[in-house]
Amino acid sequence: ETGVTQSPTHLIKTRGQQVTLRCSSQSGHNTVSWYQQALGQGPQFIFQYYREEENGRGNFPPRFSGLQFPNYSSELNVNALELDDSALYLCASSLERGPETQYFGPGTRLLVL
Amino acid sequence: GENVEQHPSTLSVQEGDSAVIKCTYSDSASNYFPWYKQELGKGPQLIIDIRSNVGEKKDQRIAVTLNKTAKHFSLHITETQPEDSAVYFCAGTLGNTGRRALTFGSGTRLQVQP
């Protein structure tokens, strides 16, 4: 059974640029959630996708957007990057929508200069 | 707002001792409480979880207790080992995300001294 994978592992961007992060969910999981983890803090919920539709969103601006594909993999897009967007971006997959039993990937470390 | 409070922020124990981390939550309708372990450079790893219809759950050296009335839950690690050193996060399902996501505590850095 393959776990949650994310790419790239690290990324450096400059302020104002756009970035796309990718996630492949664990085999058999149809729900993907994205979290942002700033240094020294707990992860914060960005949004969740279930069967290709957004199924809930946290307190993040519209420049954070996402997609889920028919194979349940997902992308997180961030436009107009700001310095405060520097963080570890985590993807988690689960069997059904809702929060239960989420399995996290290793994350993508984004640095905005 | 609705949140999860976690303490202590750091905890140092001697190998073989027990460690206890406590969390409180604000949303009385929350019904699922997982604990995650995060090692340096890695994503959070689920170590144990508990649902609101259960008061205690144990898995080898790890146990979690839940007091719904007081709205708090705790992680207990017995016979600690150096490999238990990591940051531990509690989480809950809170109403501010429609209970579709996890709201995390701020983390506890556990250091097990050999």
Side-chain angles (χ1 to χ4, degrees):
Chain A
E1 183 178 277
T2 306
V4 179
T5 60
Q6 292 185 243
S7 63
T9 55
H10 295 82
L11 204 52
I12 299 175
K13 292 285 188 177
T14 56
R15 194 171 49 182
Q17 285 188 313
Q18 177 266 343
V19 68
T20 297
L21 310 182
R22 295 177 175 83
C23 170
S24 291
S25 61
Q26 186 165 317
S27 177
H29 287 186
N30 59 17
T31 303
V32 172
S33 302
W34 286 92
Y35 292 80
Q36 180 195 66
Q37 186 177 24
L39 202 60
Q41 297 181 21
Q44 284 198 307
F45 174 66
I46 303 174
F47 43 57
Q48 181 180 91
Y49 277 84
Y50 170 70
R51 294 187 177 179
E52 302 177 57
E53 292 193 0
E54 188 176 291
N55 182 52
R57 188 179 185 93
N59 190 26
F60 280 81
R63 60 189 185 83
F64 285 78
S65 63
L67 282 173
Q68 187 179 31
F69 301 99
N71 66 354
Y72 304 132
S73 65
S74 177
E75 285 183 355
L76 164 66
N77 299 289
V78 187
N79 294 321
L81 283 167
E82 300 177 359
L83 298 180
D84 285 349
D85 295 335
S86 296
L88 180 67
Y89 288 86
L90 295 161
C91 166
S93 74
S94 51
L95 272 172
E96 290 292 333
R97 61 182 167 179
E100 301 193 359
T101 320
Q102 294 191 356
Y103 298 93
F104 283 83
T108 294
R109 174 74 62 187
L110 172 64
L111 178 62
V112 182
L113 301 175
Chain B
E2 298 177 277
N3 59 9
V4 177
E5 301 281 346
Q6 181 173 351
H7 59 94
S9 57
T10 60
L11 180 59
S12 182
V13 300
Q14 291 293 319
E15 182 177 358
D17 287 350
S18 295
V20 179
I21 303 170
K22 298 181 179 181
C23 289
T24 59
Y25 60 96
S26 55
D27 183 357
S28 56
S30 295
N31 58 6
Y32 175 65
F33 306 93
W35 285 88
Y36 286 86
K37 173 184 180 182
Q38 188 172 27
E39 297 175 295
L40 196 61
K42 296 185 179 180
Q45 175 193 4
L46 179 69
I47 56 173
I48 196 167
D49 57 11
I50 192 167
R51 301 178 194 282
S52 58
N53 58 347
V54 175
E56 183 174 359
K57 184 177 178 181
K58 190 173 181 180
D59 182 4
Q60 300 183 356
R61 297 186 297 110
I62 294 173
V64 56
T65 59
L66 171 65
N67 183 326
K68 283 190 64 181
T69 303
K71 291 190 284 186
H72 67 71
F73 56 112
S74 301
L75 177 71
H76 304 253
I77 306 175
T78 59
E79 301 172 25
T80 54
Q81 302 167 2
E83 51 265 39
D84 294 330
S85 296
V87 179
Y88 290 80
F89 291 98
C90 62
T93 56
L94 304 188
N96 57 355
T97 60
R99 299 189 187 84
R100 293 188 176 92
L102 297 172
T103 299
F104 285 80
S106 53
T108 297
R109 182 172 299 279
L110 174 65
Q111 182 71 42
V112 180
Q113 306 288 347

Coordinates of all heavy atoms in Angstrom, one line a residue, chain A residues 33 35 37 40-45 48 55-58 88 90 97-107 109, chain B residues 31-32 34 36 38 41-46 49 51 89 92-93 96-97 99-107 109:
Chain A
S33 N -7.0 16.7 2.1 CA -7.0 17.9 2.8 C -5.7 18.6 2.8 O -4.7 17.8 2.8 CB -7.4 17.7 4.3 OG -8.7 17.1 4.4
Y35 N -3.0 21.5 4.5 CA -2.8 22.2 5.7 C -1.5 23.0 5.5 O -0.6 22.6 4.8 CB -2.6 21.3 6.9 CG -3.8 20.6 7.4 CD1 -4.2 19.4 6.7 CD2 -4.5 21.0 8.5 CE1 -5.4 18.7 7.2 CE2 -5.7 20.3 8.9 CZ -6.1 19.2 8.3 OH -7.2 18.5 8.7
Q37 N 1.7 24.6 7.7 CA 2.3 24.6 9.0 C 3.5 25.6 9.1 O 4.5 25.3 8.5 CB 2.8 23.2 9.4 CG 3.3 23.1 10.8 CD 3.8 21.7 11.2 OE1 4.1 20.8 10.3 NE2 3.8 21.3 12.4
G40 N 7.3 26.1 14.0 CA 7.0 26.1 15.4 C 5.5 26.1 15.8 O 5.1 26.2 17.0
Q41 N 4.6 25.9 14.8 CA 3.2 25.9 15.1 C 2.5 24.6 14.6 O 3.1 23.8 13.9 CB 2.5 27.1 14.4 CG 3.0 28.4 14.9 CD 2.4 29.6 14.2 OE1 1.3 29.4 13.6 NE2 3.0 30.7 14.2
G42 N 1.3 24.4 15.0 CA 0.5 23.3 14.5 C 0.0 23.5 13.1 O -0.1 24.7 12.7
P43 N -0.3 22.5 12.4 CA -0.9 22.7 11.0 C -2.2 23.4 11.1 O -3.0 23.2 12.0 CB -1.1 21.2 10.5 CG -0.1 20.4 11.3 CD -0.1 21.1 12.7
Q44 N -2.5 24.2 10.1 CA -3.8 25.0 10.0 C -4.5 24.5 8.7 O -3.8 24.5 7.6 CB -3.5 26.5 9.9 CG -3.2 27.1 11.3 CD -3.4 28.6 11.3 OE1 -2.8 29.3 10.4 NE2 -4.2 29.1 12.2
F45 N -5.7 24.2 8.8 CA -6.5 23.7 7.7 C -6.7 24.8 6.6 O -7.2 25.9 6.9 CB -7.9 23.3 8.2 CG -8.9 22.8 7.2 CD1 -8.6 21.7 6.4 CD2 -10.0 23.5 7.0 CE1 -9.6 21.3 5.5 CE2 -11.0 23.1 6.1 CZ -10.7 22.0 5.3
Q48 N -10.4 21.2 1.9 CA -10.6 19.8 1.7 C -11.3 19.5 0.4 O -12.2 20.2 0.0 CB -11.4 19.1 2.9 CG -11.5 17.6 2.7 CD -12.3 17.1 3.9 OE1 -13.6 16.9 3.9 NE2 -11.6 16.7 5.0
N55 N -14.8 20.7 -0.2 CA -15.7 20.2 0.8 C -15.4 20.9 2.1 O -15.4 20.3 3.2 CB -15.5 18.7 0.9 CG -16.5 18.1 2.0 OD1 -17.7 18.4 1.9 ND2 -15.9 17.4 2.9
G56 N -15.1 22.2 2.1 CA -14.8 22.9 3.3 C -13.5 23.7 3.2 O -12.6 23.3 2.5
R57 N -13.5 24.8 3.8 CA -12.4 25.7 3.7 C -12.1 26.4 5.0 O -13.0 26.8 5.7 CB -12.7 26.8 2.6 CG -11.5 27.7 2.2 CD -11.9 28.7 1.2 NE -10.7 29.4 0.7 CZ -10.0 29.1 -0.3 NH1 -10.3 28.1 -1.0 NH2 -8.9 29.8 -0.6
G58 N -10.8 26.6 5.3 CA -10.4 27.3 6.5 C -10.3 28.8 6.2 O -10.7 29.3 5.2
L88 N 5.6 24.9 5.8 CA 5.5 23.5 5.3 C 4.0 23.3 4.9 O 3.1 23.5 5.7 CB 5.9 22.6 6.4 CG 5.9 21.1 6.1 CD1 7.0 20.7 5.1 CD2 6.1 20.3 7.4
L90 N 1.3 20.7 4.0 CA 1.0 19.3 4.2 C -0.3 18.8 3.5 O -1.3 19.6 3.6 CB 0.8 19.0 5.7 CG 2.1 19.2 6.5 CD1 1.7 19.4 8.0 CD2 3.1 18.0 6.4
R97 N -15.0 11.9 3.3 CA -15.0 13.3 3.6 C -15.2 13.5 5.1 O -15.8 12.6 5.8 CB -16.0 14.1 2.9 CG -17.5 13.7 3.1 CD -18.4 14.5 2.3 NE -19.7 13.9 2.2 CZ -20.7 14.4 1.6 NH1 -20.6 15.5 0.9 NH2 -21.9 13.8 1.6
G98 N -14.8 14.6 5.6 CA -14.8 14.8 7.1 C -13.4 14.7 7.6 O -12.4 14.5 6.9
P99 N -13.2 14.8 8.9 CA -11.8 14.9 9.4 C -11.2 13.6 9.8 O -10.0 13.5 10.1 CB -12.1 15.7 10.6 CG -13.4 15.3 11.1 CD -14.2 15.0 9.9
E100 N -12.0 12.5 9.8 CA -11.5 11.3 10.6 C -10.4 10.6 9.9 O -10.3 10.5 8.7 CB -12.7 10.4 10.8 CG -13.8 11.0 11.6 CD -14.8 10.1 12.1 OE1 -14.7 8.9 11.8 OE2 -15.8 10.5 12.7
T101 N -9.5 10.1 10.7 CA -8.3 9.3 10.4 C -7.6 9.8 9.1 O -7.7 9.2 8.1 CB -8.8 7.8 10.1 OG1 -9.7 7.5 11.1 CG2 -7.6 6.9 10.3
Q102 N -7.0 10.9 9.3 CA -6.2 11.5 8.2 C -4.8 11.1 8.3 O -4.2 11.1 9.3 CB -6.3 13.1 8.2 CG -7.8 13.6 8.0 CD -7.8 15.0 7.8 OE1 -6.8 15.8 7.9 NE2 -9.0 15.6 7.5
Y103 N -4.2 10.8 7.1 CA -2.8 10.3 7.0 C -2.1 11.4 6.2 O -2.5 11.7 5.1 CB -2.8 9.0 6.3 CG -3.5 7.9 7.1 CD1 -4.8 7.6 6.9 CD2 -2.8 7.2 8.2 CE1 -5.4 6.6 7.6 CE2 -3.5 6.3 8.9 CZ -4.8 6.0 8.7 OH -5.4 5.0 9.4
F104 N -1.0 11.9 6.8 CA -0.3 13.0 6.2 C 0.9 12.5 5.4 O 1.5 11.5 5.6 CB 0.3 13.9 7.3 CG -0.8 14.8 7.9 CD1 -1.6 14.3 8.9 CD2 -0.9 16.1 7.5 CE1 -2.6 15.2 9.5 CE2 -1.9 16.9 8.0 CZ -2.7 16.5 9.0
G105 N 1.2 13.3 4.3 CA 2.4 13.2 3.6 C 3.6 13.9 4.2 O 3.4 14.5 5.3
P106 N 4.7 13.8 3.6 CA 5.9 14.4 4.2 C 6.0 16.0 4.1 O 6.8 16.6 4.8 CB 7.1 13.8 3.4 CG 6.5 13.5 2.1 CD 5.0 13.1 2.4
G107 N 5.1 16.5 3.2 CA 5.1 18.0 3.1 C 6.0 18.6 2.1 O 6.9 17.9 1.6
R109 N 8.2 22.0 1.7 CA 8.7 23.2 2.3 C 8.8 24.4 1.3 O 9.6 24.3 0.4 CB 10.1 22.9 3.0 CG 10.8 24.1 3.6 CD 10.2 24.5 4.9 NE 10.3 23.5 5.9 CZ 9.7 23.6 7.1 NH1 9.0 24.7 7.4 NH2 9.8 22.6 8.0
Chain B
N31 N -16.1 15.5 18.3 CA -16.3 14.0 18.5 C -15.1 13.1 18.1 O -15.2 11.9 18.2 CB -17.6 13.6 17.8 CG -17.5 13.8 16.3 OD1 -16.5 14.2 15.8 ND2 -18.6 13.5 15.6
Y32 N -14.0 13.7 17.7 CA -12.9 12.9 17.3 C -11.6 13.6 17.6 O -11.5 14.8 17.3 CB -13.0 12.7 15.7 CG -11.8 12.0 15.2 CD1 -11.5 10.6 15.5 CD2 -10.9 12.6 14.3 CE1 -10.4 10.0 15.0 CE2 -9.9 11.9 13.7 CZ -9.6 10.6 14.1 OH -8.5 9.9 13.6
P34 N -7.5 13.0 17.5 CA -6.3 12.2 17.2 C -5.1 12.9 17.8 O -5.1 14.1 18.2 CB -6.3 12.3 15.7 CG -6.9 13.6 15.4 CD -7.9 13.9 16.4
Y36 N -0.9 13.2 17.0 CA 0.1 13.0 15.9 C 1.5 13.2 16.5 O 1.7 14.1 17.4 CB -0.1 14.0 14.8 CG -1.3 13.6 13.9 CD1 -2.5 14.0 14.2 CD2 -1.1 12.9 12.7 CE1 -3.6 13.7 13.4 CE2 -2.1 12.6 11.9 CZ -3.4 13.0 12.2 OH -4.5 12.7 11.4
Q38 N 5.4 14.2 15.2 CA 6.1 14.8 14.1 C 7.6 14.8 14.4 O 8.0 15.5 15.3 CB 5.5 16.2 13.7 CG 6.1 16.7 12.4 CD 5.5 18.0 12.0 OE1 4.9 18.8 12.8 NE2 5.5 18.2 10.7
G41 N 11.6 17.3 10.0 CA 11.7 17.1 8.5 C 10.6 16.2 8.0 O 10.7 15.8 6.8
K42 N 9.7 15.7 8.8 CA 8.7 14.8 8.4 C 7.3 15.3 8.6 O 7.1 16.3 9.3 CB 8.8 13.4 9.1 CG 10.2 12.7 8.8 CD 10.2 11.4 9.5 CE 11.5 10.7 9.2 NZ 11.6 9.3 9.8
G43 N 6.3 14.7 8.0 CA 4.9 15.0 8.2 C 4.4 14.4 9.5 O 5.0 13.4 10.0
P44 N 3.3 14.9 10.0 CA 2.7 14.3 11.2 C 2.3 12.8 11.0 O 1.7 12.5 10.0 CB 1.5 15.2 11.5 CG 1.8 16.4 10.8 CD 2.5 16.0 9.5
Q45 N 2.6 12.0 12.0 CA 2.2 10.6 11.9 C 1.2 10.3 13.0 O 1.4 10.6 14.2 CB 3.5 9.7 12.2 CG 3.2 8.2 12.3 CD 4.4 7.5 12.8 OE1 5.4 8.1 13.2 NE2 4.3 6.2 12.9
L46 N 0.1 9.7 12.6 CA -1.0 9.4 13.5 C -0.5 8.3 14.5 O 0.0 7.3 14.0 CB -2.2 8.9 12.8 CG -3.4 8.5 13.6 CD1 -4.1 9.7 14.3 CD2 -4.5 7.8 12.8
D49 N -5.9 7.6 18.3 CA -7.0 8.5 18.3 C -8.2 8.0 19.1 O -8.2 6.8 19.5 CB -7.5 8.8 16.8 CG -7.9 7.5 16.1 OD1 -8.0 6.4 16.7 OD2 -8.1 7.5 14.9
R51 N -12.6 8.5 20.0 CA -13.8 9.2 19.7 C -14.6 9.4 20.9 O -14.4 8.9 22.0 CB -14.6 8.2 18.7 CG -13.8 8.0 17.5 CD -14.5 7.0 16.5 NE -13.5 6.6 15.5 CZ -13.1 7.3 14.4 NH1 -13.6 8.5 14.3 NH2 -12.2 6.9 13.6
F89 N 1.4 16.6 18.6 CA 0.2 17.5 18.4 C -1.1 16.7 18.8 O -1.3 15.6 18.3 CB 0.1 17.9 17.0 CG 1.2 18.9 16.5 CD1 2.3 18.4 15.9 CD2 1.2 20.2 16.8 CE1 3.4 19.2 15.5 CE2 2.2 21.1 16.4 CZ 3.3 20.6 15.8
G92 N -8.6 18.2 17.2 CA -10.0 17.9 17.4 C -10.8 18.4 16.2 O -10.2 19.2 15.4
T93 N -12.0 17.9 16.1 CA -12.9 18.4 15.1 C -13.8 19.5 15.6 O -14.6 19.2 16.5 CB -13.8 17.3 14.6 OG1 -14.5 16.7 15.7 CG2 -12.9 16.2 14.0
N96 N -15.7 25.4 13.7 CA -15.3 26.5 12.9 C -14.9 26.0 11.5 O -14.7 26.8 10.6 CB -14.2 27.3 13.5 CG -13.0 26.5 13.8 OD1 -13.0 25.3 13.7 ND2 -11.9 27.2 14.3
T97 N -14.7 24.7 11.3 CA -14.5 24.2 10.0 C -15.6 23.2 9.5 O -15.4 22.4 8.6 CB -13.1 23.4 9.9 OG1 -13.2 22.3 10.8 CG2 -12.0 24.4 10.2
R99 N -16.5 20.9 11.1 CA -16.1 19.6 11.5 C -15.6 18.7 10.3 O -15.7 17.5 10.4 CB -17.1 18.8 12.4 CG -17.4 19.6 13.6 CD -18.3 18.9 14.6 NE -18.7 19.8 15.7 CZ -19.6 20.7 15.6 NH1 -20.4 20.7 14.5 NH2 -19.9 21.5 16.6
R100 N -15.2 19.4 9.3 CA -14.6 18.7 8.2 C -13.1 18.5 8.2 O -12.5 17.9 7.4 CB -15.0 19.4 6.9 CG -16.5 19.4 6.6 CD -16.8 19.9 5.2 NE -18.2 19.8 4.9 CZ -19.0 20.8 5.1 NH1 -18.6 21.9 5.6 NH2 -20.3 20.6 4.8
A101 N -12.5 19.2 9.2 CA -11.1 19.2 9.3 C -10.6 19.2 10.7 O -11.4 19.2 11.6 CB -10.5 20.5 8.6
L102 N -9.3 19.0 10.9 CA -8.7 18.9 12.2 C -8.2 20.3 12.6 O -7.6 21.0 11.8 CB -7.6 17.9 12.2 CG -7.9 16.5 11.9 CD1 -6.7 15.6 11.7 CD2 -8.8 15.9 13.0
T103 N -8.5 20.7 13.8 CA -7.9 21.9 14.4 C -6.8 21.4 15.4 O -7.1 20.6 16.3 CB -8.9 22.7 15.1 OG1 -9.9 23.1 14.2 CG2 -8.3 23.9 15.8
F104 N -5.6 21.8 15.2 CA -4.4 21.3 16.0 C -4.1 22.2 17.2 O -4.3 23.4 17.1 CB -3.2 21.2 15.1 CG -3.2 20.0 14.1 CD1 -4.0 20.1 13.0 CD2 -2.6 18.9 14.4 CE1 -4.0 19.0 12.1 CE2 -2.6 17.8 13.6 CZ -3.3 17.9 12.4
G105 N -3.5 21.6 18.2 CA -2.9 22.3 19.3 C -1.6 22.9 18.8 O -1.1 22.6 17.6
S106 N -0.9 23.6 19.6 CA 0.4 24.2 19.3 C 1.6 23.3 19.4 O 2.7 23.7 19.0 CB 0.6 25.5 20.1 OG 0.5 25.2 21.5
G107 N 1.4 22.1 19.9 CA 2.5 21.2 19.9 C 3.2 21.1 21.2 O 3.3 22.1 22.0
R109 N 7.0 19.7 22.5 CA 8.3 19.1 22.2 C 8.8 18.2 23.3 O 9.1 18.7 24.4 CB 9.4 20.2 21.9 CG 10.7 19.6 21.5 CD 11.7 20.7 21.0 NE 11.1 21.4 19.9 CZ 11.2 21.0 18.6 NH1 11.8 19.9 18.3 NH2 10.8 21.8 17.6

